[in-house]
Amino acid sequence: MVSLPIPQGPQLIVQSVTGMHITPYGWVDGDVPAVVWRDAATTAYRQSQWEFIPEPGYGERVVRIRNAAYNKDTGAFDRSLALIAETPEDGAAVVSRRSDSKSERQLWRLLSMDVAQADFVIVPLGNDGLAVATRQSYQEGNAVLQLEEVGPWTDQFWRWQRVRG
């Protein structure tokens, strides 16, 4: 397996098959569904950008995926990708939720499934058999994210992309 270094700084998380990226629904500073949306890679919207924060003590490539719009001075937009369910299960919703450094529902493992590709899948801590994907492989804007069984489905593959401009 190839494992690219986890990037530093804000990134778009782009769905490989559609070119759309993960963003909180409506860019709201509240607990909302995580969806995919299409903007140019030059987007200035910090709400559409994420930071991969390595989580010590949980093994390789386990990260908290925190929204880059977080304002450390005011505490505004302190959001991370999270599971809504207590335990990872097929069909569980992925949401943008208030960051909680103690919540394992906000920890994700980045797995590279193919040595020839830079793409990765995002799996919840504790269940490498499930991956983040769009609900029912829906491939249009505002498609809600959820967990589904890991498989050869293209909507499970992601890549990071630094915002240009």
Side-chain angles (χ1 to χ4, degrees):
M1 255 191 253
V2 68
S3 291
L4 295 175
I6 294 172
Q8 300 292 310
Q11 305 282 321
L12 293 174
I13 303 174
V14 179
Q15 189 178 37
S16 300
V17 70
T18 65
M20 292 188 286
H21 58 269
I22 297 175
T23 191
Y25 183 73
W27 295 325
V28 174
D29 187 9
D31 294 352
V32 296
V35 299
V36 291
W37 191 251
R38 186 179 316 276
D39 278 332
T42 57
T43 184
Y45 300 118
R46 297 285 288 181
Q47 297 92 330
S48 291
Q49 300 171 43
W50 303 88
E51 294 185 86
F52 297 93
I53 303 168
E55 191 67 29
Y58 284 92
E60 272 191 68
R61 302 182 62 78
V62 173
V63 297
R64 187 172 307 280
I65 303 174
R66 180 181 240 166
N67 196 281
Y70 170 52
N71 183 321
K72 292 178 178 120
D73 295 331
T74 65
F77 225 92
D78 186 9
R79 302 284 156 199
S80 294
L81 289 184
L83 286 178
I84 210 162
E86 286 295 320
T87 57
E89 57 189 40
D90 193 19
V94 177
V95 296
S96 172
R97 174 173 269 174
R98 183 144 188 86
S99 296
D100 178 357
S101 63
K102 294 177 179 39
S103 175
E104 289 189 348
R105 292 185 291 171
Q106 294 185 0
L107 296 181
W108 305 91
R109 186 179 310 277
L110 308 178
L111 296 179
S112 298
M113 305 299 274
D114 183 339
V115 296
Q117 299 291 324
D119 299 352
F120 57 90
V121 294
I122 304 170
V123 300
L125 185 68
N127 193 334
D128 289 352
L130 296 173
V132 173
T134 50
R135 182 170 291 151
Q136 299 173 343
S137 299
Y138 192 68
Q139 294 184 2
E140 292 186 25
N142 284 340
V144 175
L145 298 180
Q146 68 176 27
L147 294 181
E148 69 177 25
E149 234 178 90
V150 170
W153 303 287
T154 57
D155 64 329
Q156 294 180 350
F157 289 90
W158 305 89
R159 61 181 53 195
W160 49 71
Q161 180 178 357
R162 184 168 297 282
V163 175
R164 299 184 300 264

